Amino acid sequence: MAPPLPDEEERAEEGPRIAGIALPRLPVDVEPDDPLLADGWARTEDALTMPIPQPPTGEAWEVETWADEDFADWLRRRAEVISAAQHALTPAREGPARYSVVASMLLGVAYTRFAMDLRGIPTPPVFAANEELSVVFREALESAAHSLWLRALDAFGSCSSVAAGEPAHSLDRWREACDRELRTVGRMLPDHDPDDEDDDEDDDEDDD
């Protein structure tokens, strides 16, 4: 067989993408359509591509109606899709390490993006004009995102732990990616301690 062309080699080194999000290069003998991953991968992508409802720009009563109907429905449906993804990914997370790290990363990304999408919802103009209402609106979104950050921490922590327990270098790229995500998610939590992040970076240097 002829050697791959340079551009083919470069593509071979790139990891897959899910809903446009780059992942590390997959472990040997692992593909997105493998039976252990296929259903969970598809459900994760469904969650990541779910349109985000934007608040109306009109009166306060319109925003309240949006919060009770469109926004509440979106929260429920997205949570249900992620729950289904988590259920579908459980066999992979409990299976061989090369599948477990991928499944945990997918789950962590699903929760992280859900939380980020919540935080990214703009404050309606009618609330933005009132400091008290604006604070209440932002705090409600942050509160809803908090449990999602915690679930992301759990998923990325599982990914990092499993990868670190494998023979040297076999899943290093996954451990590194999940450790980066752990630090990013940690900064989003109100009780995050920057010293913990410094300790993690020192540990990474010691591993080198």
Side-chain angles (χ1 to χ4, degrees), residues 45-62:
E45 190 157 31
D46 287 343
L48 293 171
T49 55
M50 187 176 290
I52 307 165
Q54 298 300 303
T57 58
E59 301 296 327
W61 68 266
E62 295 177 284

Side-chain angles (χ1 to χ4, degrees), residues 33-34 41 52 57 66 76 85 101 106 120 124 132 137 144 155 175:
D33 58 357
D34 289 348
W41 189 291
I52 307 165
T57 58
W66 166 84
R76 176 187 57 78
V101 295
L106 291 176
E132 183 178 351
F137 184 82
R175 179 185 61 80

Side-chain angles (χ1 to χ4, degrees), residues 2 6 20 30 33 37 45 49 56 60 76 103 106 120 122 127-128 148 160 187-188 206:
V30 174
D33 58 357
L37 288 176
E45 190 157 31
T49 55
R76 176 187 57 78
L106 291 176
F127 285 5
L148 303 175
S160 177
R187 288 193 289 268
M188 297 297 178
D206 292 341

